[in-house]
């Protein structure tokens, strides 16, 4: 476990994924939590899945910040999150059943938008329509989690059909809004070819007002709450969901999610100005994975990819889907570091790479016309035909799960991290070699200075 205080850590910090998600952010947030007072989610919804292992207990959190597992922390679901109230209540109940206290330590923005059942239907219907149009199973779609994320954010932007968490606290207002929304939504679902059961405003209003009542003690103006905490000198950790390469503006569009999941989403999604964030930790898996469609230049569709999937247990926390696996793409990571303003890297799942004779790292791309670039292109169409340019590094055979310090790592693993530092230009400060809290260590000196 990391020590609770560290003078080198500036007051407020952010943790963000530098790849396509599932980098192990939950685990790093859980570790850093000891140093912070408030943990804030600012984007995404139940599409995210953060797994935290505490002793033999494994927790899969989707909407609630991982700080809930530590005593005395305030956990905030900010205005930039889209909340499925029933999923949130399931998560609260599940935590309570396992003895985790959920009370004043969970605060939900009254301005966070609501994910309704019809958003999930729309999400699935659009994906199915796109698949039919492409004429190929699994092709044509985004490959969403079908958690209604895109449709809920669409309603937020459309405004007149949106519901916010605060609306759940006023039954008559909720009913009035649903009376407008339901007719329109039925027509939209029918146009998508969905098999729709009629949406009844009264039923939905009763059901979601009931969920609102249960959540009432947690729903508040989190922007004032956060600024009050900041003025009182308390320290805040922002927990990014999804990851930079899935950012709606800066990811591999259109194969992205619908929020700003880079650090650029923090100011809008929490109400805290960006200049108040003192340190950004970029979380990077030692290799690459991706779920759903979209460009993945270093993808391995061979036994090496299968071995990484097996060793890394690469199956989605939210959907159970097998993840696509491949070598580390440092062009992509360096781009994310630039966009997110990352100061340090936390390298996770390094232990998964034990046992390979050699390891490849992508340092450039060859375009379809044969020209070379060292720049990431956040556009799926324009990335078509790109192939990776690799550096090959020696692998290591020894299992790393017992390493508690950088000097315990085999020389080849140290060189691997030194290569990352030199290429990306920021230090690898945290290294994770297993799922447990105790299997992460901090490195105060740079790996690049060791080799
Ligand atoms: P959506 O967020 O459900 O709309 O899905 C859009 C894309 O983002 C799909 O390719 C998903 O697989 C991917 N995605 C969304 N959230 C996560 C995540 O937390 N980890 C990994 N992939 C994600």
């Amino acid at each position: 476990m990391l020590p609770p205080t560290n003078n080198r850590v500036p007051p407020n910090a952010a943790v963000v994924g530098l790849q396509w998600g599932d980098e192990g952010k939950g685990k790093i947030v859980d570790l850093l939590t000891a140093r912070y007072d408030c943990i804030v989610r600012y984007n995404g919804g139940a599409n995210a899945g953060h797994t935290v292992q505490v002793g033999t207990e494994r927790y899969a959190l989707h909407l609630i910040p991982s700080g809930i597992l530590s005593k005395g922390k305030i956990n905030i679901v900010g205005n930039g999150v889209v909340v499925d109230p029933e999923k949130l209540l399931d998560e609260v109940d599940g935590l309570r059943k396992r003895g985790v206290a959920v009370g004043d330590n969970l605060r939900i923005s009254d301005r966070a938008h609501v994910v309704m059942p019809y958003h999930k239907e729309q999400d699935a219907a659009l994906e199915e329509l796109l698949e039919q149009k492409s004429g190929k199973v699994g092709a044509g779609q985004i490959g969403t989690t079908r958690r209604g994320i895109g449709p809920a954010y669409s309603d937020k932007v459309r405004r007149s059909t949106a519901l916010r968490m605060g609306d759940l606290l006023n039954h008559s207002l909720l009913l009035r809004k649903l009376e407008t929304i339901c007719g329109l939504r039925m027509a939209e679902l029918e146009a998508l070819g969905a098999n729709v059961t009629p949406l009844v405003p009264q039923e939905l209003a009763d059901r979601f007002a009931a969920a609102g009542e249960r959540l009432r003690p947690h729903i508040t103006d989190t922007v004032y709450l956060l600024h009050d905490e900041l003025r009182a000198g308390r320290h805040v950790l922002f927990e990014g969901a999804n990851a930079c390469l899935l950012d709606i503006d800066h990811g591999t569009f259109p194969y992205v999610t619908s929020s700003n999941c880079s650090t650029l989403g923090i100011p809008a999604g929490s109400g805290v100005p960006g200049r108040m964030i003192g340190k950004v930790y970029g979380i990077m898996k030692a290799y690459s994975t991706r779920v759903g469609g979209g460009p993945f230049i270093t993808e391995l569709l061979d036994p090496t990819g299968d071995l990484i999937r097996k060793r890394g247990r690469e199956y989605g926390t939210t959907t159970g889907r097998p993840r696509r696996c491949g070598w580390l793409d440092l062009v992509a990571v360096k781009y994310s570091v630039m966009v997110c303003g990352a100061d340090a890297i936390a390298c996770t799942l390094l232990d998964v790479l034990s046992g390979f004779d050699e390891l490849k790292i992508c340092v450039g791309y060859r375009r379809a016309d044969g020209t070379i670039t060292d720049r990431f292109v956040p556009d799926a169409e324009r990335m078509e035909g790109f192939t990776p340019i690799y550096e090959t590094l020696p692998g290591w055979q020894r299992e790393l799960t017992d390493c508690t310090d950088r000097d315990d790592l085999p020389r080849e693993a140290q060189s691997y991290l030194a290569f990352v530092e030199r290429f990306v230009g920021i230090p690898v400060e945290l290294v994770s070699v297993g799922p447990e809290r105790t299997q992460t260590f901090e490195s105060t000196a740079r790996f690049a200075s060791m080799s």
Side-chain angles (χ1 to χ4, degrees):
M1 264 252 255
L2 300 178
T5 54
N6 179 332
N7 292 337
R8 291 182 304 108
V9 180
N12 305 309
V15 167
V16 67
L18 298 175
Q19 294 153 313
W20 286 281
D22 313 310
E23 296 92 351
K25 295 177 293 287
K27 181 187 177 183
I28 301 296
V29 172
D30 177 58
L31 279 168
L32 292 173
T33 292
R35 297 175 181 167
Y36 297 89
D37 305 297
C38 303
I39 321 299
V40 182
R41 271 279 305 265
Y42 58 89
N43 77 293
N47 53 352
H50 292 170
T51 310
V52 184
Q53 178 121 3
V54 187
T56 52
E57 293 284 308
R58 200 175 162 91
Y59 296 89
L61 300 166
H62 298 280
L63 279 159
I64 300 181
S66 324
I68 201 79
L69 302 173
S70 302
K71 284 205 175 81
K73 310 291 171 184
I74 303 180
N75 295 277
I76 296 176
V77 177
N79 58 279
V81 177
V82 285
V83 178
D84 178 335
E86 293 180 336
K87 273 248 168 300
L88 178 62
L89 282 167
D90 283 349
E91 216 165 305
V92 169
D93 292 341
L95 285 168
R96 284 187 180 142
K97 246 188 234 149
R98 296 170 76 178
V100 178
V102 185
D104 270 1
N105 57 347
L106 177 65
R107 306 296 182 86
I108 300 149
S109 168
D110 52 4
R111 278 181 258 160
H113 283 248
V114 180
V115 178
M116 295 292 282
Y118 48 75
H119 289 133
K120 289 181 255 186
E121 284 182 40
Q122 264 181 298
D123 200 352
L126 181 58
E127 287 281 280
E128 270 150 35
L129 186 76
L130 290 171
E131 183 174 286
Q132 276 166 24
K133 279 205 184 295
S134 79
K136 255 168 69 189
V137 177
Q141 326 113 298
I142 305 289
T144 73
T145 59
R146 303 190 176 199
R147 296 291 189 271
I149 307 299
Y153 279 116
S154 301
D155 271 351
K156 173 175 177 172
V157 177
R158 192 152 69 164
R159 297 152 294 164
S160 45
T161 49
L163 293 173
R164 308 204 285 185
M165 289 304 285
D167 297 335
L168 304 187
L169 305 181
N170 181 337
H171 189 286
S172 56
L173 173 77
L174 182 61
L175 179 59
R176 189 153 32 87
K177 289 195 173 190
L178 280 165
E179 275 163 354
T180 311
I181 295 167
C182 285
L184 192 65
R185 199 47 42 101
M186 286 289 290
E188 287 169 350
L189 280 164
E190 274 160 21
L192 285 171
N195 227 342
V196 254
T197 33
L199 298 171
V200 184
Q202 185 72 49
E203 274 175 18
L204 281 173
D206 292 350
R207 178 172 152 192
F208 283 86
E213 273 320 305
R214 283 200 60 204
L215 290 168
R216 185 182 286 278
H218 307 281
I219 297 175
T220 189
D221 182 332
T222 53
V223 175
Y224 269 111
L225 171 69
L226 261 168
H227 282 273
D228 288 344
E229 291 293 317
L230 286 165
R231 259 194 305 275
R234 281 190 271 277
H235 299 168
V236 177
L237 182 65
F238 296 91
E239 175 181 6
N242 326 122
C244 184
L245 301 178
L246 291 171
D247 184 288
I248 181 80
D249 286 291
H250 303 287
T252 47
F253 194 87
Y255 298 96
V256 291
T257 188
S258 303
S259 66
N260 285 117
C261 30
S262 63
T263 45
L264 302 174
I266 297 175
S270 70
V272 174
R275 70 181 157 77
M276 297 183 83
I277 303 155
K279 176 147 185 167
V280 175
Y281 291 90
I283 316 304
M284 181 199 82
K285 237 179 228 196
Y287 47 93
S288 310
T289 63
R290 167 158 215 174
V291 213
F296 184 179
I297 310 300
T298 62
E299 183 169 16
L300 292 167
L301 299 164
D302 62 11
T304 306
D306 294 341
L307 186 58
I308 294 177
R309 183 176 307 105
K310 190 165 163 233
R311 283 188 58 86
R313 288 188 283 172
E314 292 294 354
Y315 296 89
T317 320
T318 303
T319 58
R321 291 183 286 181
R323 296 178 184 140
R324 300 159 66 192
C325 297
W327 296 122
L328 179 60
D329 181 347
L330 279 188
V331 178
V333 168
K334 191 171 181 177
Y335 164 80
S336 295
V337 164
M338 173 180 81
V339 169
C340 293
D343 302 289
I345 288 181
C347 177
T348 58
L349 293 133
L350 189 62
D351 52 302
V352 173
L353 293 187
S354 291
F356 290 91
D357 290 335
E358 49 185 38
L359 300 165
K360 292 189 182 195
I361 295 185
C362 176
V363 294
Y365 302 137
R366 186 167 281 107
R367 299 189 189 91
D369 65 5
T371 56
I372 284 171
T373 181
D374 61 358
R375 294 195 165 199
F376 192 75
V377 184
D379 183 313
E381 304 278 334
R382 286 168 53 214
M383 274 199 137
E384 215 148 281
F386 277 33
T387 51
I389 299 169
Y390 285 123
E391 284 277 343
T392 303
L393 273 69
W396 59 89
Q397 300 305 313
R398 184 151 54 88
E399 290 295 342
L400 306 185
T401 42
D402 292 333
C403 295
T404 54
D405 185 82
R406 65 180 198 150
D407 296 327
D408 287 347
L409 293 173
R411 200 170 34 81
E412 295 82 0
Q414 292 174 8
S415 302
Y416 191 82
L417 297 179
F419 190 94
V420 171
E421 285 187 341
R422 280 197 209 97
F423 191 90
V424 178
I426 58 170
V428 175
E429 279 189 11
L430 295 166
V431 179
S432 165
V433 291
E436 292 199 20
R437 268 183 175 170
T438 48
Q439 288 175 305
T440 301
F441 56 86
E442 199 166 22
S443 179
T444 45
R446 297 186 73 146
F447 285 93
S449 64
M450 297 173 82
S451 53

